[in-house]
Amino acid sequence: MKSVMAEGASGTGSPEAGIPLDGVDALVLCGPGDIHLGRIESYFSAQLVLRDGEVRIVSCRSDATLLRLALGELLDGIRRKGTLEAEDVELALRRATAGEMQPAQPEGNSVVVHTPTGPLRTRTAGQERLVRAAAQHLLTFAIGPAGTGKTYLAVAMAVAALVERKVQRIVLTRPAVEAGENLGFLPGDLKEKVDPYLRPLYDSLFDMMEPERMARMVEQQIVEVAPLAFMRGRTLNNAFIILDEAQNTTPGQMKMFLTRLGQNSRVVITGDITQIDLAQPERSGLLEIRRVLRGVRDVAFVELEKADVVRHRLVRDIIHAYEEYDGRATRPTDD
């Protein structure tokens, strides 16, 4: 690990104040064979040294301020997860390029909830807008492509509201719409048929809570995960309610769901209008509701973009490729 062992290095610029590791294992930051540190140095045309429990910028031909911010984000990520993947490094570098990192401010990257593995923070400007909008409005729509963390953040906000006793329960729901498969042909009873559609919601919850606590809350119906059809006829009071995959609701289902809102409840609705699985995509309730509720007080629409994709760098590239392909497919051709 040459960058850790080096006593100094030549280069332009004077040494900067070090960034404390604060308990982070230097080997994790550097990566196997210094691959992570080498990628950071290459990207910023910089030379870094890890000594005495801190990272020092020996030289930087690029923007040293953005370099420090990127390093700070990576260190925070290691403290939360204990690991650092190549995708994490690329995301931090991408955010630096996009100018999405600002000098440290109280509102810069909000802590949404404290999980068993550490605090969960927003990671992009779009995610920060979503969290702020949901805190200020009773009904918030998060609309954007796959991998932007819409569902994950919504569940995190719901868990935080429950822990802080702002609500008494969490209700998570999804429409059970097939994407090229028929629900009726799946084996098992009704619960076994619909559980696969609700699995992403369960997965997010398990990341936020200890498994035993999660199981206990589900058993006591403090946390409820159910298909959208089960919401009909109910009034949901004192609850944080999430409707996921809302692009697959019909206008009638969307109206039915929105009229479930009871006293002291808050709703977050997530969806991706580029992945509608309905037989008639133009009849999506999410498409219609954007027109119906525009301008209504206490309702917010947050549009997430490719820059907010945090799942894997390839997901962002795939979304971009589809946008270009769709643009070419709909562009008139010359005769």
Side-chain angles (χ1 to χ4, degrees), residues 9-17 45-47 57-62 64:
S10 60
T12 60
S14 57
E16 300 236 359
S45 299
Q47 191 157 15
I57 302 174
V58 176
S59 65
C60 180
R61 295 188 177 90
S62 184

Side-chain angles (χ1 to χ4, degrees), residues 58-92:
V58 176
S59 65
C60 180
R61 295 188 177 90
S62 184
D63 191 323
T65 299
L66 289 181
L67 170 55
R68 293 179 66 86
L69 290 172
L71 287 168
E73 176 166 298
L74 291 172
L75 291 171
D76 283 343
I78 296 171
R79 292 185 191 104
R80 290 196 307 271
K81 302 190 304 180
T83 62
L84 183 65
E85 306 293 338
E87 289 78 13
D88 299 324
V89 176
E90 292 302 323
L91 175 63

Side-chain angles (χ1 to χ4, degrees), residues 214-233:
M214 168 66 188
R216 187 168 60 252
M217 286 189 169
V218 170
E219 183 179 352
Q220 296 172 350
Q221 295 189 325
I222 297 173
V223 174
E224 178 183 355
V225 184
L228 179 59
F230 289 14
M231 297 297 108
R232 188 173 296 279

Side-chain angles (χ1 to χ4, degrees), residues 144-170:
T148 50
K150 304 182 298 295
T151 302
Y152 203 76
L153 274 179
V155 172
M157 289 186 283
V159 171
L162 184 65
V163 170
E164 295 166 11
R165 300 183 183 277
K166 294 179 180 178
V167 297
Q168 296 177 0
R169 58 178 171 156
I170 298 172

Side-chain angles (χ1 to χ4, degrees), residues 4 24 32 46 56 90 126 147 181 184 196 301 327:
V4 176
V24 170
R56 299 179 185 178
E90 292 302 323
E181 298 178 4
F301 287 84

Side-chain angles (χ1 to χ4, degrees), residues 25-149:
D25 187 342
L27 290 170
V28 176
L29 177 63
C30 291
D34 285 354
I35 187 170
H36 298 331
L37 207 62
R39 174 64 179 131
I40 299 166
E41 289 179 327
S42 173
Y43 189 88
F44 285 100
S45 299
Q47 191 157 15
L48 305 174
V49 173
L50 278 74
R51 292 181 57 207
D52 301 326
E54 62 182 19
V55 187
R56 299 179 185 178
I57 302 174
V58 176
S59 65
C60 180
R61 295 188 177 90
S62 184
D63 191 323
T65 299
L66 289 181
L67 170 55
R68 293 179 66 86
L69 290 172
L71 287 168
E73 176 166 298
L74 291 172
L75 291 171
D76 283 343
I78 296 171
R79 292 185 191 104
R80 290 196 307 271
K81 302 190 304 180
T83 62
L84 183 65
E85 306 293 338
E87 289 78 13
D88 299 324
V89 176
E90 292 302 323
L91 175 63
L93 300 181
R94 190 169 73 225
R95 290 190 61 207
T97 301
E100 295 175 0
M101 294 182 181
Q102 300 297 327
Q105 302 172 1
E107 69 273 17
N109 291 99
S110 299
V111 175
V112 184
V113 68
H114 289 273
T115 74
T117 57
L120 189 152
R121 297 176 181 270
T122 56
R123 298 177 64 185
T124 71
Q127 288 187 349
E128 185 67 23
R129 288 197 308 273
L130 172 56
V131 169
R132 293 189 192 181
Q136 297 167 6
H137 298 83
L138 293 179
L139 173 59
T140 305
F141 290 84
I143 302 173
T148 50

